[in-house]
């Protein structure tokens, strides 16, 4: 009797534990491109570009893939950079300024590659 009750409680509690570990929403879908295209005569890199996996929940970004040393920028609708930061090593979450409201382009710059997407704050 107690084993069945304990099993039932574990099954009912499982979604609560899983939601604490899982990211808060769907990942941000990035577009990407090169900031400095390869010069003629120089070979393109042979390794594929790895898109970062980043989630947005309110004003908090959660990084599933490391973005150590990348530059993060928010660009407003007038193409003005309103926020910029170098992502510190080991960062898994980053709070964006809560005084920003509206639609922004989130840019993550990694060397010569830029990943960008519109977000709503």
């Amino acid at each position: 009797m107690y084993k069945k009750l304990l099993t039932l409680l574990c099954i009912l509690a499982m979604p609560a534990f899983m939601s604490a570990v899982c990211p808060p929403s769907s990942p941000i879908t990035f577009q990407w491109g090169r900031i400095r295209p390869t010069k003629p005569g120089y070979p393109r890199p042979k390794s594929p570009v790895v898109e970062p996996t980043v989630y947005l929940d309110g004003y908090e970004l959660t990084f599933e893939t490391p973005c150590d040393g990348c530059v993060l920028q928010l660009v407003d609708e007038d193409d003005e950079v309103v926020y910029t930061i170098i992502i510190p090593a080991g960062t898994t979450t980053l709070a964006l300024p809560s005084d920003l409201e509206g639609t922004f382009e989130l840019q993550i710059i990694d060397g010569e590659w830029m990943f960008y997407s519109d977000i709503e704050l």
Side-chain angles (χ1 to χ4, degrees), residues 20-35:
V21 174
C22 294
S25 61
S26 299
I28 296 171
T29 303
F30 286 103
Q31 297 179 26
W32 55 275
R34 274 199 153 137
I35 296 173

Side-chain angles (χ1 to χ4, degrees), residues 33-45:
R34 274 199 153 137
I35 296 173
R36 295 176 290 267
T38 305
K39 296 178 185 176
Y42 286 85
R44 290 178 131 352

